[in-house]
Amino acid sequence: MSAKQRPSEDSLIARFFAPIAGEAALGLKDDAACLRPKPGHDLVLTTDALVERVHFLPEDAPGSIARKALGVNVSDLAAKGSEPAGFLLSLALPDDWTEDWLAAFAAGLGQASRDFACPLLGGDTVRARGPLTLSVTAVGQVPSGRMVPRTTAGVGDAVCVTGTIGDAALGLKLRADPPWAAALSLEERAHLADRYLHPQPRHRLAAALRDHASAAMDVSDGLAGDLAKMMRASGTSAVVEAAQVPLSSAAAKAVQASPSLLDLALTGGDDYEILCTVPEKKLDSFRKEADSVGIALSVIGRVVAGQDLPVFRMNGLERRYDVGSYQHF
Amino acid sequence: MSAKQRPSEDSLIARFFAPIAGEAALGLKDDAACLRPKPGHDLVLTTDALVERVHFLPEDAPGSIARKALGVNVSDLAAKGSEPAGFLLSLALPDDWTEDWLAAFAAGLGQASRDFACPLLGGDTVRARGPLTLSVTAVGQVPSGRMVPRTTAGVGDAVCVTGTIGDAALGLKLRADPPWAAALSLEERAHLADRYLHPQPRHRLAAALRDHASAAMDVSDGLAGDLAKMMRASGTSAVVEAAQVPLSSAAAKAVQASPSLLDLALTGGDDYEILCTVPEKKLDSFRKEADSVGIALSVIGRVVAGQDLPVFRMNGLERRYDVGSYQHF
């Protein structure tokens, strides 16, 4: 299809994006969204860009790419204890896009938007002149002064994570069909693959985080590196019992088949779980609230005084992962 | 410089971006910004992406690219009658970026941020795997219910534009060294080139727009096309006196040398002026307020009933520019 025959941006917006827009988007017919903030609330703002072959693969389904772009941003909002208010999308499309691709992308985006209660507020669509590149800015709301920082972990607090760690990194690795794949059932492989493709932001934990966590962030660049970041930002360190780090049964089986995969699980990215620190006296209540919204919670260690990298204890050994400071882009 | 030797994203943020961050950015040390909205105000949210060779040229100075990326978004905020509260930046950097380039980019961004009173709130930096691609999301604040829509022009209202029209399109054309360039002085060429490189968002007009304009948008895709969009969105049409469309002396001289350039001036993009409609009885007051903030204002026509494309009258002829509906990306 030549550029001349392409529908206009306005008609694409009307067909694909207006149906998933929130009220504040004004039908995507104006130049900007107009959001009335909840009284007594602060706005939480975050942006994350995704690039083909860096953050997703060309063969990934368009709906999965859309879901991931929104999910990784909603995950940031959740970690800050905020409820989603909406998002804006910049979409740089390569010249060979098709209307089928865009329709599937918009369908996935709409589904994710409903699942995460995060409506579309606005966007921009441009020619990429390169690979598909997306940028999402998500807006959340939090009662004034209650955003959960990354910088305020307290010595003695429990270090907690939601869900399971390492699935996504293993799921990405699986695509190269490694020898250890043979140890997994089809279902287990599908589970790991799905965890890479479809982050599950823990937005239902936001209120519980506000009430209990001394510090929080989402795990996007690997547990070890992100924990190191949070401890550095808080002027503290941590001791983690590696055996307490929650692995899915699929990940556990992979690690059993190839023990060095434990390092990958602890340092690989794309978990999109919540990492937080919780004062001991609030831990029971936090567990209960997490349970009530159906989110698994594991205590994996303790915040300690010091400036060193967090220690991961495993089989009587102590391991420090020096990954945080070498993260490139 | 190999990827291994590159500084970490965290150190780049600390060196280049933290110094231009606003208070709500929390030093760019957390996962999100936290903005306390002014009581009684709505949030205005807009996003615009810029791609190398589509929206700017590789030889453009990094500081100019940064200024343009922010300026085109602040221009949208201004057209909606809102005051800037801050912006988020997604920067997809090609592999051959240098620290010098990034330092110049950040310096230009910082200067623009100060000029437009629009602080940095957050961002994300990723590998582009293609040309430089930037996406800015700008956040403005407007007294509740007072955002100036695009959709509410009234029949009989005056059609107004700020500044001058067509400079940027002519400035871009000049780069190919066309025959008509010879008719211009060096200063006139520099003026046109600068207008393409450095949009001047009319953010100082925001309050006057709120108090006077029935509808407004910024002129980014060409006056004729953008006027057609605003009239279509309002269910109206317009009659414009082409001779009233404000041209800079440089643009006027170019049009004199090559009369067909008038079409380019009226349909070319990147003006980043404000196009608005103003009820007759508010026109004098609007003029005074624009004058008091040093922004030139021209009445170029009138809103009329009808669904047709706006008419541009010139030398006894009537001209309709069918550009709005064919705009591709």
mmCIF file of all heavy atoms in Angstrom, chain B residues 256-305:
data_model
loop_
_atom_site.group_PDB
_atom_site.id
_atom_site.type_symbol
_atom_site.label_atom_id
_atom_site.label_comp_id
_atom_site.label_asym_id
_atom_site.label_seq_id
_atom_site.Cartn_x
_atom_site.Cartn_y
_atom_site.Cartn_z
ATOM 1 N N GLN B 256 7.320 37.642 -3.038
ATOM 2 C CA GLN B 256 7.421 38.609 -4.131
ATOM 3 C C GLN B 256 8.329 38.055 -5.241
ATOM 4 O O GLN B 256 8.013 38.152 -6.425
ATOM 5 C CB GLN B 256 8.015 39.908 -3.580
ATOM 6 C CG GLN B 256 7.788 41.125 -4.456
ATOM 7 C CD GLN B 256 8.262 42.397 -3.732
ATOM 8 O OE1 GLN B 256 9.156 42.346 -2.885
ATOM 9 N NE2 GLN B 256 7.645 43.527 -4.071
ATOM 10 N N ALA B 257 9.408 37.428 -4.840
ATOM 11 C CA ALA B 257 10.358 36.882 -5.820
ATOM 12 C C ALA B 257 9.769 35.670 -6.535
ATOM 13 O O ALA B 257 10.059 35.417 -7.703
ATOM 14 C CB ALA B 257 11.665 36.497 -5.120
ATOM 15 N N SER B 258 8.931 34.927 -5.843
ATOM 16 C CA SER B 258 8.390 33.689 -6.412
ATOM 17 C C SER B 258 6.965 33.504 -5.874
ATOM 18 O O SER B 258 6.760 32.857 -4.848
ATOM 19 C CB SER B 258 9.292 32.519 -6.004
ATOM 20 O OG SER B 258 8.754 31.294 -6.447
ATOM 21 N N PRO B 259 5.971 34.106 -6.569
ATOM 22 C CA PRO B 259 4.617 34.201 -6.013
ATOM 23 C C PRO B 259 3.999 32.872 -5.590
ATOM 24 O O PRO B 259 3.170 32.842 -4.679
ATOM 25 C CB PRO B 259 3.823 34.843 -7.156
ATOM 26 C CG PRO B 259 4.841 35.667 -7.889
ATOM 27 C CD PRO B 259 6.110 34.860 -7.834
ATOM 28 N N SER B 260 4.416 31.768 -6.195
ATOM 29 C CA SER B 260 3.804 30.492 -5.808
ATOM 30 C C SER B 260 4.179 30.110 -4.382
ATOM 31 O O SER B 260 3.576 29.203 -3.786
ATOM 32 C CB SER B 260 4.213 29.390 -6.780
ATOM 33 O OG SER B 260 5.575 29.081 -6.582
ATOM 34 N N LEU B 261 5.176 30.772 -3.817
ATOM 35 C CA LEU B 261 5.553 30.469 -2.430
ATOM 36 C C LEU B 261 4.458 30.839 -1.431
ATOM 37 O O LEU B 261 4.476 30.378 -0.292
ATOM 38 C CB LEU B 261 6.857 31.188 -2.050
ATOM 39 C CG LEU B 261 8.125 30.680 -2.730
ATOM 40 C CD1 LEU B 261 9.316 31.545 -2.333
ATOM 41 C CD2 LEU B 261 8.394 29.214 -2.362
ATOM 42 N N LEU B 262 3.493 31.673 -1.876
ATOM 43 C CA LEU B 262 2.399 32.005 -0.957
ATOM 44 C C LEU B 262 1.646 30.735 -0.554
ATOM 45 O O LEU B 262 1.259 30.572 0.608
ATOM 46 C CB LEU B 262 1.442 33.030 -1.592
ATOM 47 C CG LEU B 262 0.285 33.472 -0.670
ATOM 48 C CD1 LEU B 262 0.804 34.088 0.623
ATOM 49 C CD2 LEU B 262 -0.648 34.450 -1.386
ATOM 50 N N ASP B 263 1.441 29.833 -1.527
ATOM 51 C CA ASP B 263 0.787 28.563 -1.191
ATOM 52 C C ASP B 263 1.584 27.801 -0.142
ATOM 53 O O ASP B 263 1.023 27.221 0.792
ATOM 54 C CB ASP B 263 0.651 27.678 -2.445
ATOM 55 C CG ASP B 263 -0.497 28.132 -3.325
ATOM 56 O OD1 ASP B 263 -1.293 28.989 -2.895
ATOM 57 O OD2 ASP B 263 -0.579 27.638 -4.470
ATOM 58 N N LEU B 264 2.902 27.790 -0.311
ATOM 59 C CA LEU B 264 3.743 27.095 0.664
ATOM 60 C C LEU B 264 3.602 27.739 2.043
ATOM 61 O O LEU B 264 3.486 27.043 3.059
ATOM 62 C CB LEU B 264 5.206 27.121 0.208
ATOM 63 C CG LEU B 264 6.195 26.461 1.188
ATOM 64 C CD1 LEU B 264 5.959 24.959 1.281
ATOM 65 C CD2 LEU B 264 7.638 26.740 0.785
ATOM 66 N N ALA B 265 3.588 29.069 2.060
ATOM 67 C CA ALA B 265 3.479 29.767 3.350
ATOM 68 C C ALA B 265 2.158 29.421 4.046
ATOM 69 O O ALA B 265 2.110 29.242 5.265
ATOM 70 C CB ALA B 265 3.596 31.276 3.147
ATOM 71 N N LEU B 266 1.099 29.300 3.244
ATOM 72 C CA LEU B 266 -0.226 29.061 3.832
ATOM 73 C C LEU B 266 -0.468 27.591 4.184
ATOM 74 O O LEU B 266 -1.344 27.275 4.990
ATOM 75 C CB LEU B 266 -1.322 29.539 2.872
ATOM 76 C CG LEU B 266 -1.343 31.045 2.576
ATOM 77 C CD1 LEU B 266 -2.428 31.377 1.546
ATOM 78 C CD2 LEU B 266 -1.561 31.849 3.857
ATOM 79 N N THR B 267 0.276 26.705 3.560
ATOM 80 C CA THR B 267 0.019 25.271 3.784
ATOM 81 C C THR B 267 1.196 24.552 4.453
ATOM 82 O O THR B 267 1.033 23.426 4.923
ATOM 83 C CB THR B 267 -0.270 24.535 2.463
ATOM 84 O OG1 THR B 267 0.880 24.671 1.603
ATOM 85 C CG2 THR B 267 -1.488 25.123 1.759
ATOM 86 N N GLY B 268 2.378 25.176 4.471
ATOM 87 C CA GLY B 268 3.561 24.526 5.057
ATOM 88 C C GLY B 268 3.421 24.405 6.560
ATOM 89 O O GLY B 268 2.601 25.085 7.181
ATOM 90 N N GLY B 269 4.200 23.560 7.160
ATOM 91 C CA GLY B 269 4.057 23.302 8.596
ATOM 92 C C GLY B 269 5.040 24.058 9.457
ATOM 93 O O GLY B 269 5.743 24.950 8.995
ATOM 94 N N ASP B 270 5.056 23.699 10.720
ATOM 95 C CA ASP B 270 6.062 24.146 11.690
ATOM 96 C C ASP B 270 5.992 25.616 12.077
ATOM 97 O O ASP B 270 6.989 26.183 12.538
ATOM 98 C CB ASP B 270 7.479 23.821 11.181
ATOM 99 C CG ASP B 270 7.772 22.338 11.212
ATOM 100 O OD1 ASP B 270 7.611 21.738 12.290
ATOM 101 O OD2 ASP B 270 8.132 21.766 10.165
ATOM 102 N N ASP B 271 4.807 26.242 11.909
ATOM 103 C CA ASP B 271 4.715 27.641 12.335
ATOM 104 C C ASP B 271 4.744 27.768 13.855
ATOM 105 O O ASP B 271 5.369 28.655 14.408
ATOM 106 C CB ASP B 271 3.404 28.257 11.809
ATOM 107 C CG ASP B 271 3.424 28.429 10.307
ATOM 108 O OD1 ASP B 271 4.360 29.083 9.809
ATOM 109 O OD2 ASP B 271 2.511 27.909 9.621
ATOM 110 N N TYR B 272 4.015 26.884 14.524
ATOM 111 C CA TYR B 272 3.860 26.960 15.985
ATOM 112 C C TYR B 272 3.419 28.345 16.451
ATOM 113 O O TYR B 272 3.891 28.888 17.429
ATOM 114 C CB TYR B 272 5.110 26.444 16.705
ATOM 115 C CG TYR B 272 5.319 25.006 16.313
ATOM 116 C CD1 TYR B 272 6.321 24.643 15.414
ATOM 117 C CD2 TYR B 272 4.434 24.029 16.742
ATOM 118 C CE1 TYR B 272 6.450 23.329 14.981
ATOM 119 C CE2 TYR B 272 4.549 22.721 16.313
ATOM 120 C CZ TYR B 272 5.556 22.381 15.437
ATOM 121 O OH TYR B 272 5.668 21.093 15.007
ATOM 122 N N GLU B 273 2.489 28.897 15.666
ATOM 123 C CA GLU B 273 1.759 30.074 16.109
ATOM 124 C C GLU B 273 0.404 29.599 16.642
ATOM 125 O O GLU B 273 0.064 28.421 16.522
ATOM 126 C CB GLU B 273 1.556 31.031 14.918
ATOM 127 C CG GLU B 273 2.845 31.595 14.331
ATOM 128 C CD GLU B 273 3.556 32.583 15.262
ATOM 129 O OE1 GLU B 273 2.976 32.930 16.306
ATOM 130 O OE2 GLU B 273 4.687 32.980 14.943
ATOM 131 N N ILE B 274 -0.348 30.539 17.231
ATOM 132 C CA ILE B 274 -1.689 30.201 17.726
ATOM 133 C C ILE B 274 -2.726 30.664 16.720
ATOM 134 O O ILE B 274 -2.687 31.802 16.251
ATOM 135 C CB ILE B 274 -1.981 30.899 19.070
ATOM 136 C CG1 ILE B 274 -0.890 30.588 20.094
ATOM 137 C CG2 ILE B 274 -3.387 30.528 19.571
ATOM 138 C CD1 ILE B 274 -1.073 29.354 20.878
ATOM 139 N N LEU B 275 -3.613 29.763 16.385
ATOM 140 C CA LEU B 275 -4.773 30.079 15.557
ATOM 141 C C LEU B 275 -5.978 30.045 16.500
ATOM 142 O O LEU B 275 -6.175 29.057 17.212
ATOM 143 C CB LEU B 275 -4.915 29.004 14.479
ATOM 144 C CG LEU B 275 -6.172 29.002 13.627
ATOM 145 C CD1 LEU B 275 -6.219 30.240 12.745
ATOM 146 C CD2 LEU B 275 -6.218 27.732 12.768
ATOM 147 N N CYS B 276 -6.766 31.130 16.499
ATOM 148 C CA CYS B 276 -7.912 31.122 17.408
ATOM 149 C C CYS B 276 -9.071 31.919 16.827
ATOM 150 O O CYS B 276 -8.893 32.704 15.895
ATOM 151 C CB CYS B 276 -7.523 31.664 18.787
ATOM 152 S SG CYS B 276 -6.930 33.356 18.773
ATOM 153 N N THR B 277 -10.225 31.663 17.369
ATOM 154 C CA THR B 277 -11.404 32.429 16.981
ATOM 155 C C THR B 277 -11.867 33.216 18.186
ATOM 156 O O THR B 277 -11.838 32.713 19.323
ATOM 157 C CB THR B 277 -12.525 31.488 16.501
ATOM 158 O OG1 THR B 277 -12.841 30.560 17.538
ATOM 159 C CG2 THR B 277 -12.097 30.726 15.256
ATOM 160 N N VAL B 278 -12.261 34.462 17.937
ATOM 161 C CA VAL B 278 -12.579 35.380 19.041
ATOM 162 C C VAL B 278 -13.867 36.121 18.702
ATOM 163 O O VAL B 278 -13.972 36.714 17.623
ATOM 164 C CB VAL B 278 -11.414 36.383 19.246
ATOM 165 C CG1 VAL B 278 -11.754 37.378 20.351
ATOM 166 C CG2 VAL B 278 -10.121 35.649 19.561
ATOM 167 N N PRO B 279 -14.848 36.089 19.602
ATOM 168 C CA PRO B 279 -16.070 36.861 19.367
ATOM 169 C C PRO B 279 -15.742 38.341 19.198
ATOM 170 O O PRO B 279 -14.883 38.877 19.906
ATOM 171 C CB PRO B 279 -16.897 36.615 20.643
ATOM 172 C CG PRO B 279 -16.346 35.358 21.226
ATOM 173 C CD PRO B 279 -14.895 35.334 20.864
ATOM 174 N N GLU B 280 -16.452 38.977 18.273
ATOM 175 C CA GLU B 280 -16.175 40.379 17.932
ATOM 176 C C GLU B 280 -16.073 41.273 19.175
ATOM 177 O O GLU B 280 -15.163 42.094 19.288
ATOM 178 C CB GLU B 280 -17.318 40.874 17.013
ATOM 179 C CG GLU B 280 -17.094 42.224 16.375
ATOM 180 C CD GLU B 280 -15.913 42.243 15.407
ATOM 181 O OE1 GLU B 280 -15.745 41.253 14.657
ATOM 182 O OE2 GLU B 280 -15.152 43.229 15.414
ATOM 183 N N LYS B 281 -16.992 41.062 20.116
ATOM 184 C CA LYS B 281 -17.026 41.987 21.250
ATOM 185 C C LYS B 281 -15.826 41.837 22.196
ATOM 186 O O LYS B 281 -15.585 42.705 23.033
ATOM 187 C CB LYS B 281 -18.344 41.835 22.028
ATOM 188 C CG LYS B 281 -18.541 40.464 22.669
ATOM 189 C CD LYS B 281 -19.809 40.458 23.528
ATOM 190 C CE LYS B 281 -19.855 39.238 24.433
ATOM 191 N NZ LYS B 281 -20.531 38.072 23.933
ATOM 192 N N LYS B 282 -15.100 40.738 22.040
ATOM 193 C CA LYS B 282 -13.933 40.543 22.904
ATOM 194 C C LYS B 282 -12.620 40.883 22.204
ATOM 195 O O LYS B 282 -11.532 40.770 22.798
ATOM 196 C CB LYS B 282 -13.871 39.077 23.364
ATOM 197 C CG LYS B 282 -14.967 38.678 24.332
ATOM 198 C CD LYS B 282 -14.730 37.262 24.826
ATOM 199 C CE LYS B 282 -15.612 36.930 26.020
ATOM 200 N NZ LYS B 282 -15.347 35.567 26.524
ATOM 201 N N LEU B 283 -12.735 41.305 20.945
ATOM 202 C CA LEU B 283 -11.533 41.440 20.123
ATOM 203 C C LEU B 283 -10.602 42.540 20.618
ATOM 204 O O LEU B 283 -9.380 42.349 20.676
ATOM 205 C CB LEU B 283 -11.956 41.665 18.668
ATOM 206 C CG LEU B 283 -10.959 41.346 17.563
ATOM 207 C CD1 LEU B 283 -10.344 39.972 17.722
ATOM 208 C CD2 LEU B 283 -11.648 41.473 16.202
ATOM 209 N N ASP B 284 -11.170 43.680 20.974
ATOM 210 C CA ASP B 284 -10.331 44.794 21.435
ATOM 211 C C ASP B 284 -9.548 44.418 22.692
ATOM 212 O O ASP B 284 -8.345 44.667 22.797
ATOM 213 C CB ASP B 284 -11.191 46.032 21.713
ATOM 214 C CG ASP B 284 -11.540 46.761 20.423
ATOM 215 O OD1 ASP B 284 -10.922 46.442 19.378
ATOM 216 O OD2 ASP B 284 -12.448 47.612 20.455
ATOM 217 N N SER B 285 -10.252 43.801 23.615
ATOM 218 C CA SER B 285 -9.601 43.406 24.860
ATOM 219 C C SER B 285 -8.513 42.357 24.592
ATOM 220 O O SER B 285 -7.422 42.392 25.183
ATOM 221 C CB SER B 285 -10.665 42.871 25.822
ATOM 222 O OG SER B 285 -10.078 42.159 26.881
ATOM 223 N N PHE B 286 -8.793 41.438 23.673
ATOM 224 C CA PHE B 286 -7.816 40.391 23.333
ATOM 225 C C PHE B 286 -6.557 41.022 22.732
ATOM 226 O O PHE B 286 -5.437 40.673 23.092
ATOM 227 C CB PHE B 286 -8.451 39.402 22.359
ATOM 228 C CG PHE B 286 -7.589 38.205 22.033
ATOM 229 C CD1 PHE B 286 -6.954 37.465 23.028
ATOM 230 C CD2 PHE B 286 -7.419 37.794 20.714
ATOM 231 C CE1 PHE B 286 -6.171 36.351 22.720
ATOM 232 C CE2 PHE B 286 -6.644 36.685 20.395
ATOM 233 C CZ PHE B 286 -6.009 35.968 21.400
ATOM 234 N N ARG B 287 -6.773 41.961 21.818
ATOM 235 C CA ARG B 287 -5.641 42.660 21.209
ATOM 236 C C ARG B 287 -4.771 43.319 22.268
ATOM 237 O O ARG B 287 -3.550 43.250 22.238
ATOM 238 C CB ARG B 287 -6.150 43.772 20.288
ATOM 239 C CG ARG B 287 -6.560 43.345 18.904
ATOM 240 C CD ARG B 287 -6.935 44.624 18.137
ATOM 241 N NE ARG B 287 -7.821 44.391 17.030
ATOM 242 C CZ ARG B 287 -7.409 43.978 15.829
ATOM 243 N NH1 ARG B 287 -6.140 43.740 15.598
ATOM 244 N NH2 ARG B 287 -8.288 43.795 14.849
ATOM 245 N N LYS B 288 -5.435 43.959 23.217
ATOM 246 C CA LYS B 288 -4.685 44.675 24.260
ATOM 247 C C LYS B 288 -3.853 43.697 25.087
ATOM 248 O O LYS B 288 -2.689 43.952 25.383
ATOM 249 C CB LYS B 288 -5.655 45.427 25.186
ATOM 250 C CG LYS B 288 -5.914 46.855 24.716
ATOM 251 C CD LYS B 288 -6.909 47.566 25.631
ATOM 252 C CE LYS B 288 -7.688 48.588 24.819
ATOM 253 N NZ LYS B 288 -9.024 48.852 25.355
ATOM 254 N N GLU B 289 -4.470 42.576 25.436
ATOM 255 C CA GLU B 289 -3.718 41.617 26.269
ATOM 256 C C GLU B 289 -2.546 40.995 25.504
ATOM 257 O O GLU B 289 -1.488 40.765 26.065
ATOM 258 C CB GLU B 289 -4.651 40.537 26.818
ATOM 259 C CG GLU B 289 -5.538 41.085 27.929
ATOM 260 C CD GLU B 289 -6.060 39.986 28.847
ATOM 261 O OE1 GLU B 289 -5.391 38.947 29.015
ATOM 262 O OE2 GLU B 289 -7.170 40.167 29.381
ATOM 263 N N ALA B 290 -2.791 40.715 24.221
ATOM 264 C CA ALA B 290 -1.695 40.163 23.412
ATOM 265 C C ALA B 290 -0.566 41.180 23.334
ATOM 266 O O ALA B 290 0.623 40.844 23.463
ATOM 267 C CB ALA B 290 -2.208 39.807 22.015
ATOM 268 N N ASP B 291 -0.953 42.418 23.134
ATOM 269 C CA ASP B 291 0.024 43.494 23.052
ATOM 270 C C ASP B 291 0.820 43.599 24.359
ATOM 271 O O ASP B 291 2.040 43.792 24.346
ATOM 272 C CB ASP B 291 -0.734 44.805 22.787
ATOM 273 C CG ASP B 291 0.154 45.828 22.103
ATOM 274 O OD1 ASP B 291 0.801 45.458 21.084
ATOM 275 O OD2 ASP B 291 0.224 46.966 22.593
ATOM 276 N N SER B 292 0.127 43.432 25.469
ATOM 277 C CA SER B 292 0.796 43.607 26.761
ATOM 278 C C SER B 292 1.817 42.506 27.035
ATOM 279 O O SER B 292 2.713 42.682 27.849
ATOM 280 C CB SER B 292 -0.239 43.669 27.886
ATOM 281 O OG SER B 292 -0.741 42.365 28.145
ATOM 282 N N VAL B 293 1.674 41.340 26.370
ATOM 283 C CA VAL B 293 2.695 40.289 26.533
ATOM 284 C C VAL B 293 3.606 40.214 25.303
ATOM 285 O O VAL B 293 4.370 39.254 25.132
ATOM 286 C CB VAL B 293 2.064 38.904 26.825
ATOM 287 C CG1 VAL B 293 1.400 38.901 28.199
ATOM 288 C CG2 VAL B 293 1.069 38.485 25.749
ATOM 289 N N GLY B 294 3.500 41.242 24.436
ATOM 290 C CA GLY B 294 4.453 41.358 23.329
ATOM 291 C C GLY B 294 4.244 40.344 22.210
ATOM 292 O O GLY B 294 5.198 39.957 21.532
ATOM 293 N N ILE B 295 2.998 39.886 22.032
ATOM 294 C CA ILE B 295 2.737 38.925 20.953
ATOM 295 C C ILE B 295 1.881 39.588 19.878
ATOM 296 O O ILE B 295 0.797 40.103 20.158
ATOM 297 C CB ILE B 295 2.047 37.665 21.517
ATOM 298 C CG1 ILE B 295 3.031 36.912 22.415
ATOM 299 C CG2 ILE B 295 1.546 36.764 20.387
ATOM 300 C CD1 ILE B 295 2.465 35.685 23.084
ATOM 301 N N ALA B 296 2.406 39.599 18.649
ATOM 302 C CA ALA B 296 1.686 40.211 17.531
ATOM 303 C C ALA B 296 0.458 39.380 17.199
ATOM 304 O O ALA B 296 0.496 38.142 17.231
ATOM 305 C CB ALA B 296 2.590 40.296 16.306
ATOM 306 N N LEU B 297 -0.634 40.077 16.866
ATOM 307 C CA LEU B 297 -1.894 39.391 16.591
ATOM 308 C C LEU B 297 -2.468 39.951 15.299
ATOM 309 O O LEU B 297 -2.479 41.159 15.090
ATOM 310 C CB LEU B 297 -2.850 39.688 17.752
ATOM 311 C CG LEU B 297 -4.043 38.776 17.907
ATOM 312 C CD1 LEU B 297 -3.580 37.405 18.393
ATOM 313 C CD2 LEU B 297 -5.005 39.376 18.933
ATOM 314 N N SER B 298 -2.951 39.076 14.420
ATOM 315 C CA SER B 298 -3.591 39.531 13.184
ATOM 316 C C SER B 298 -4.961 38.884 13.057
ATOM 317 O O SER B 298 -5.107 37.677 13.292
ATOM 318 C CB SER B 298 -2.756 39.118 11.963
ATOM 319 O OG SER B 298 -1.439 39.627 12.064
ATOM 320 N N VAL B 299 -5.936 39.702 12.668
ATOM 321 C CA VAL B 299 -7.247 39.149 12.308
ATOM 322 C C VAL B 299 -7.183 38.840 10.822
ATOM 323 O O VAL B 299 -6.924 39.728 10.007
ATOM 324 C CB VAL B 299 -8.375 40.153 12.612
ATOM 325 C CG1 VAL B 299 -9.715 39.606 12.109
ATOM 326 C CG2 VAL B 299 -8.443 40.443 14.105
ATOM 327 N N ILE B 300 -7.382 37.577 10.476
ATOM 328 C CA ILE B 300 -7.210 37.194 9.064
ATOM 329 C C ILE B 300 -8.526 36.819 8.395
ATOM 330 O O ILE B 300 -8.570 36.615 7.186
ATOM 331 C CB ILE B 300 -6.222 35.999 8.919
ATOM 332 C CG1 ILE B 300 -6.754 34.753 9.648
ATOM 333 C CG2 ILE B 300 -4.837 36.385 9.437
ATOM 334 C CD1 ILE B 300 -5.956 33.489 9.342
ATOM 335 N N GLY B 301 -9.605 36.731 9.155
ATOM 336 C CA GLY B 301 -10.862 36.357 8.506
ATOM 337 C C GLY B 301 -11.968 36.201 9.522
ATOM 338 O O GLY B 301 -11.894 36.708 10.647
ATOM 339 N N ARG B 302 -12.955 35.431 9.116
ATOM 340 C CA ARG B 302 -14.197 35.370 9.862
ATOM 341 C C ARG B 302 -14.736 33.928 9.805
ATOM 342 O O ARG B 302 -14.614 33.269 8.769
ATOM 343 C CB ARG B 302 -15.183 36.309 9.165
ATOM 344 C CG ARG B 302 -16.419 36.718 9.900
ATOM 345 C CD ARG B 302 -16.179 37.605 11.096
ATOM 346 N NE ARG B 302 -15.372 38.793 10.830
ATOM 347 C CZ ARG B 302 -15.040 39.685 11.774
ATOM 348 N NH1 ARG B 302 -15.453 39.514 13.023
ATOM 349 N NH2 ARG B 302 -14.290 40.729 11.482
ATOM 350 N N VAL B 303 -15.303 33.470 10.904
ATOM 351 C CA VAL B 303 -15.980 32.163 10.904
ATOM 352 C C VAL B 303 -17.349 32.338 10.253
ATOM 353 O O VAL B 303 -18.070 33.287 10.566
ATOM 354 C CB VAL B 303 -16.157 31.628 12.340
ATOM 355 C CG1 VAL B 303 -16.873 30.278 12.335
ATOM 356 C CG2 VAL B 303 -14.810 31.514 13.052
ATOM 357 N N VAL B 304 -17.697 31.448 9.326
ATOM 358 C CA VAL B 304 -19.007 31.494 8.663
ATOM 359 C C VAL B 304 -19.702 30.144 8.822
ATOM 360 O O VAL B 304 -19.066 29.132 9.134
ATOM 361 C CB VAL B 304 -18.872 31.851 7.154
ATOM 362 C CG1 VAL B 304 -18.242 33.237 6.973
ATOM 363 C CG2 VAL B 304 -18.085 30.784 6.413
ATOM 364 N N ALA B 305 -20.995 30.149 8.613
ATOM 365 C CA ALA B 305 -21.759 28.901 8.670
ATOM 366 C C ALA B 305 -21.368 28.031 7.473
ATOM 367 O O ALA B 305 -20.950 28.541 6.426
ATOM 368 C CB ALA B 305 -23.258 29.203 8.650
#
